[in-house]
Amino acid sequence: MREGMWWSAMLLAACTGAPEPTSDEPVPVPVEAGDEAPSAEAGEAPAQQQGAGAKGAAVGYRLSAPHAGAHLMDVVATTTCPGSGELEWWMATWTPGSYVVRDYSGHVEDVRSENGRAEKTAKNRWRVQCDAGKKTELRYRLYGRTLSVRTNWIDEEKLILNGAATFIFPERVGGPLRVSLDGPWKDAATGLDPDGNLAWVAADVDELIDSPIMAGKLTRHRFTVRGVPHEIVHLGDVSAWDLERAHEDVVTLVKTQIDFWGEIPYERYVFLNAVVNTRGGLEHADSTLMMTFTDQMESDDQYVDWLGLVSHEFFHTWNVKRLRPDGLGPFDYEHEVYTTSLWVAEGLTSYYDDLLLVRAGLMSPEAWMDAMGENIGRVKERPGRHVRSLAESSWDAWIKFYRPDEQYKNSDVGYYRKGAMVGWVLDGMIRKATLNRRSLDDVLLEAWKRYPNGYSEAEFRGVVDDVAGRSLDDAMHAMIDEPGDVDLTPALDAFGMVLEPWEPREGGWLGIELDGADVRSVRRDGPAFNVLAVGDEIIAVEGRRMKGGAVAADLLKHSPGDKVELLVSREGLIRTIPFTLGEPVRERWGLMYEDVASPTEVAWRKSLFGMQ
């Protein structure tokens, strides 16, 4: 998942399918809705797998939506009752790639079998009585009205389903899982193998959870790379999109990433692009689900941002979905799984998403430098970088990253952005140690070969050392295991660049974020820390009544070092508080080329950007 897709960064104010031809060239193929071959009766578990054994039975799911306008879907799950005459069913509480417990069962209602209502045994578990050896059904209704890449949306025009948020599974599954869809949507797309008209089959629970389904008015484009079929599927209004350009650029990017890794680990890949005026992205083994805007191609910056999302999620096909930390598979879908290595899984992916756009010729090196400079600024302006290490941020993603509150910036540092910085520094250090014969690219490729079943943190760092030809343990410990700033000198020196702060905003600064006149957050490194509190209302500044945004505007008129007096309401009590305004934090930094770079620095820079 690409950072910044699911929540907007808080702003501190002045006071705050079918086989394709084997070719590397894109081959457009017209696609009609419902062009798959016929199969068995919709929603039934495949007959050859019906017998219940020690490993369980096959499962069939029939999805229908007679009340789609009310965001409801009816689900009938069919399997074979075990010999005990009792069957436990369970539902995932989270989805891989998004590390927070979401308790999807909260959107499930009226769970019952042919013998009556199911007995609830846990928040996400149900028990039913059934006839041993015979077919049994679990029926339930699903509510979906959360437009995100991790949840479900159900209405008469569009359908977006995620496996973890949709399916309830029997305790043991011993065969394929078949899904059929019936509703107002005439076309649907997913990474699953087709098994009939609007029907698909998954080999196991992992594949079904990992395969989102998108239905509605779809626009498709198919192409092949190295003989492997790929598809871009848009949901929604794409009238403002230059689809020819978008498709050509995605093909170029796909080729660049496949060339980077050297192999294709899937038999077919689908980009699901929901144009629904929100943003997000989540990786899957054979597909990705992305959300974007109708005007995403209105400007070059917006369009490159979308390409960066495509690049990020597609890079996850290798880094995360297959090359993964030990904790991220096999999955326990009912409980948190912990790892200190999200700086690799997400941070290094964030380093390469835009970098591979440069190598693909879809982004200029200068634009990449601007993006990295902004990334550095986002990390440096966060007080939490001195409180929590990168490894701790990864481990605590379940309770911090996906649940930001008013204290979040004071107490955490994002593993996406700081991880990308660490990747850049390691890249520079490896190139220096090997005289540019090897790089961070080689680390990922070597790890890909060594650890097909997952790596430990120590094992991944060992690969870094092996590729560099010397120990970088001290540097990695300082950047990953300890809180604090990342020393960017190795990267700056390697690539002949300098980091310069942009001029800070003008005006006085309290280190608070405001919602109108109400304090939303207080920075731990600002003048208001330990004085103002979240929830305070600033009534007046220097005796002048303030309303709404007037507080921020008034403080802009002052200068650092000025003394001001605030009239504040806290829990119904009025108090007067004197302050000395501080110097605003430098939130924006720029990467620039050195005025005079050595031939070595220029050569390494070109190597970084794929220009030689």
Side-chain angles (χ1 to χ4, degrees):
M1 182 176 182
R2 182 171 166 100
E3 191 203 14
M5 298 296 106
W6 59 276
W7 65 289
S8 298
M10 292 186 293
L11 176 64
L12 292 174
C15 57
T16 62
E20 299 289 338
T22 57
S23 168
D24 280 358
E25 295 304 315
V27 182
V29 179
V31 181
E32 299 294 334
D35 62 354
E36 297 90 347
S39 67
E41 182 182 351
E44 295 292 340
Q48 69 272 20
Q49 294 289 343
Q50 282 286 354
K55 294 184 180 180
V59 190
Y61 293 93
R62 298 196 305 272
L63 311 180
S64 60
H67 302 103
H71 306 288
L72 294 172
M73 171 164 283
D74 294 339
V75 182
V76 180
T78 306
T79 190
T80 301
C81 181
S84 64
E86 185 175 270
L87 184 58
E88 186 98 357
W89 296 75
W90 63 274
M91 191 175 196
T93 64
W94 67 284
T95 193
S98 180
Y99 307 105
V100 66
V101 172
R102 298 186 183 279
D103 289 331
Y104 295 118
S105 58
H107 292 300
V108 171
E109 59 187 56
D110 196 21
V111 183
R112 61 180 64 242
S113 72
E114 65 273 10
N115 293 322
R117 293 182 67 85
E119 175 190 0
K120 198 78 177 284
T121 60
K123 66 179 180 179
N124 65 316
R125 283 184 166 262
W126 299 262
R127 181 184 299 131
V128 300
Q129 305 301 314
C130 49
D131 296 329
K134 296 184 178 181
K135 183 178 77 172
T136 182
E137 292 182 342
L138 189 78
R139 297 174 174 265
Y140 57 96
R141 183 167 293 124
L142 193 68
Y143 181 73
R145 195 182 170 276
T146 305
L147 202 54
S148 85
V149 295
R150 305 166 294 271
T151 51
N152 293 334
W153 181 274
I154 304 162
D155 69 21
E156 294 167 320
E157 294 184 353
K158 59 184 176 292
L159 175 71
I160 298 172
L161 295 179
N162 279 280
T166 301
F167 299 106
I168 300 179
F169 300 97
E171 186 64 43
R172 296 191 307 275
V173 177
L177 301 94
R178 185 170 182 277
V179 179
S180 67
L181 178 63
D182 181 27
W185 322 281
K186 302 306 180 185
D187 197 6
T190 177
L192 293 169
D193 289 336
D195 193 38
N197 183 25
L198 298 183
W200 308 272
V201 64
D204 50 37
V205 169
D206 291 316
E207 185 179 9
L208 187 53
I209 284 181
D210 194 44
S211 302
I213 298 171
M214 190 172 77
K217 180 184 177 182
L218 305 182
T219 304
R220 299 172 181 258
H221 177 78
R222 286 179 173 175
F223 62 96
T224 63
V225 175
R226 297 191 185 184
V228 177
H230 297 72
E231 188 172 18
I232 308 169
V233 185
H234 307 279
L235 169 66
D237 180 10
V238 290
S239 59
W241 281 57
D242 181 346
L243 292 180
E244 183 177 358
R245 178 188 179 190
H247 295 161
E248 288 179 356
D249 289 348
V250 170
V251 172
T252 298
L253 178 58
V254 167
K255 291 180 179 179
T256 300
Q257 293 212 12
I258 290 173
D259 288 345
F260 176 94
W261 289 100
E263 62 180 287
I264 302 177
Y266 49 81
E267 297 181 356
R268 170 176 167 263
Y269 193 90
V270 183
F271 295 93
L272 301 171
N273 187 47
V275 185
V276 290
N277 291 317
T278 187
R279 58 189 301 179
L282 192 63
E283 68 274 6
H284 301 279
D286 302 322
S287 66
T288 180
L289 174 60
M290 303 175 293
M291 292 185 175
T292 186
F293 296 86
T294 55
D295 63 352
Q296 192 72 49
M297 296 188 73
E298 189 174 79
S299 71
D300 287 343
D301 286 347
Q302 289 173 280
Y303 175 57
V304 171
D305 180 71
W306 179 74
L307 287 177
L309 171 62
V310 176
S311 182
H312 185 99
E313 303 307 336
F314 190 54
F315 198 80
H316 275 320
T317 306
W318 293 267
N319 188 33
V320 169
K321 296 310 298 183
R322 292 168 175 87
L323 174 62
R324 57 171 179 78
D326 281 339
L328 301 187
F331 291 112
D332 178 350
Y333 294 106
E334 300 186 73
H335 305 95
E336 297 92 332
V337 295
Y338 295 98
T339 176
T340 58
S341 300
L342 289 182
W343 72 271
V344 179
E346 292 292 357
L348 297 192
T349 300
S350 295
Y351 175 56
Y352 277 100
D353 53 22
D354 284 346
L355 186 57
L356 288 174
L357 290 184
V358 178
R359 295 181 185 178
L362 301 173
M363 185 182 198
S364 70
E366 292 74 21
W368 181 88
M369 292 167 66
D370 288 343
M372 178 58 81
E374 178 182 357
N375 186 76
I376 293 168
R378 291 285 188 91
V379 174
K380 291 175 73 68
E381 64 89 23
R382 183 172 289 186
R385 72 190 189 281
H386 294 299
V387 176
R388 198 175 303 271
S389 71
L390 196 51
E392 291 169 332
S393 179
S394 171
W395 190 269
D396 286 343
W398 298 89
I399 57 174
K400 297 293 291 185
F401 185 81
Y402 287 93
R403 292 176 174 169
D405 57 14
E406 66 273 6
Q407 184 66 2
Y408 176 66
K409 283 192 174 182
N410 280 332
S411 61
D412 199 17
V413 60
Y415 47 80
Y416 283 85
R417 295 185 184 279
K418 188 173 181 180
M421 293 168 62
V422 169
W424 188 43
V425 170
L426 288 176
D427 205 354
M429 296 180 79
I430 293 168
R431 290 173 189 268
K432 182 176 182 180
T434 64
L435 298 179
N436 202 39
R437 287 189 292 268
R438 308 199 78 185
S439 69
L440 189 63
D441 299 12
D442 297 290
V443 171
L444 290 178
L445 296 175
E446 182 63 28
W448 172 260
K449 289 187 290 187
R450 286 190 197 181
Y451 303 115
N453 298 312
Y455 56 82
S456 68
E457 177 78 14
E459 286 172 334
F460 189 87
R461 295 192 195 188
V463 177
V464 174
D465 288 342
D466 291 346
V467 169
R470 65 181 182 87
S471 175
L472 300 182
D473 288 351
D474 289 346
M476 286 190 282
H477 175 74
M479 293 188 292
I480 299 164
D481 301 325
E482 297 293 336
D485 286 315
V486 175
D487 181 4
L488 299 174
T489 304
L492 296 171
D493 289 350
F495 304 116
M497 298 180 188
V498 292
L499 181 68
E500 295 288 347
W502 290 18
E503 286 301 316
R505 65 168 64 94
E506 296 180 355
W509 184 71
L510 283 175
I512 62 176
E513 181 185 1
L514 291 170
D515 180 6
D518 297 331
V519 177
R520 289 183 55 190
S521 67
V522 183
R523 291 179 59 104
R524 70 187 327 135
D525 56 357
F529 182 68
N530 205 35
V531 182
L532 289 180
V534 173
D536 285 355
E537 178 190 4
I538 300 177
I539 300 173
V541 178
E542 290 289 283
R544 294 185 300 277
R545 180 75 169 93
M546 295 288 133
K547 292 183 179 179
V551 176
D554 188 84
L555 289 176
L556 285 174
K557 301 175 184 177
H558 295 271
S559 301
D562 287 355
K563 298 183 182 300
V564 298
E565 192 172 78
L566 304 185
L567 187 66
V568 175
S569 172
R570 179 182 300 169
E571 298 179 358
L573 300 178
I574 306 299
R575 63 189 67 193
T576 300
I577 306 176
F579 281 100
T580 300
L581 297 179
E583 187 80 33
V585 169
R586 294 179 182 268
E587 298 177 352
R588 304 185 67 186
W589 295 72
L591 270 183
M592 290 164 284
Y593 296 127
E594 286 183 341
D595 292 336
V596 180
S598 70
T600 297
E601 292 169 342
V602 172
W604 292 9
R605 185 193 302 160
K606 288 182 177 180
S607 176
L608 172 69
F609 293 138
M611 300 169 66
Q612 64 180 29

